[in-house]
Amino acid sequence: MSEPVIIASTDFWVKVVGMLQQNWALIATEEAGTVRIYFIGDTSGVFDEITLPSVQAARETLERNGFERFADNTRLQSFLRSPSAPFRRAIVVSISSKSCGDP
């Protein structure tokens, strides 16, 4: 079982990365005054996170990387649903060519 991740924010950002696949992000304020962006898959698994100095820096980073605020896009809201809590650490599996039988 994977580790639960508590994220208080519900203000989703989204990036459509392919047919029927989206990456989602939430910006959460940390106690130290920094913010953390949590990257979440469609099935509520947190697969990455980064810490930045401010909410503004987090928003700029997301926009620069092709994300948009979900609440601002009624077209996307008409056919996408954001992931729901509880969030959990995603188990990331990487496959090397050696594990596939390649020399």
Side-chain angles (χ1 to χ4, degrees):
M1 190 151 119
S2 56
E3 168 191 354
V5 179
I6 307 300
I7 307 171
S9 176
T10 58
D11 188 15
F12 280 95
W13 290 67
V14 62
K15 178 180 180 179
V16 177
V17 292
M19 184 64 110
L20 302 176
Q21 183 183 358
Q22 297 74 231
N23 287 342
W24 298 88
L26 287 171
I27 301 171
T29 303
E30 303 280 297
E31 288 181 18
T34 59
V35 297
R36 185 176 305 258
I37 302 174
Y38 291 95
F39 295 96
I40 305 162
D42 286 326
T43 59
S44 301
V46 176
F47 61 86
D48 202 1
E49 58 190 70
I50 59 171
T51 302
L52 294 162
S54 67
V55 171
Q56 184 62 33
R59 289 179 176 160
E60 290 171 0
T61 298
L62 289 170
E63 288 172 351
R64 195 170 41 251
N65 287 283
F67 282 82
E68 61 183 297
R69 191 167 170 259
F70 188 54
D72 293 340
N73 190 321
T74 55
R75 184 183 66 78
L76 288 179
Q77 291 174 40
S78 72
F79 63 90
L80 292 179
R81 296 292 170 255
S82 58
S84 58
F87 301 109
R88 300 210 166 271
R89 294 259 175 242
I91 299 172
V92 179
V93 177
S94 83
I95 300 173
S96 72
S97 61
K98 289 186 181 193
S99 66
C100 294
D102 292 343

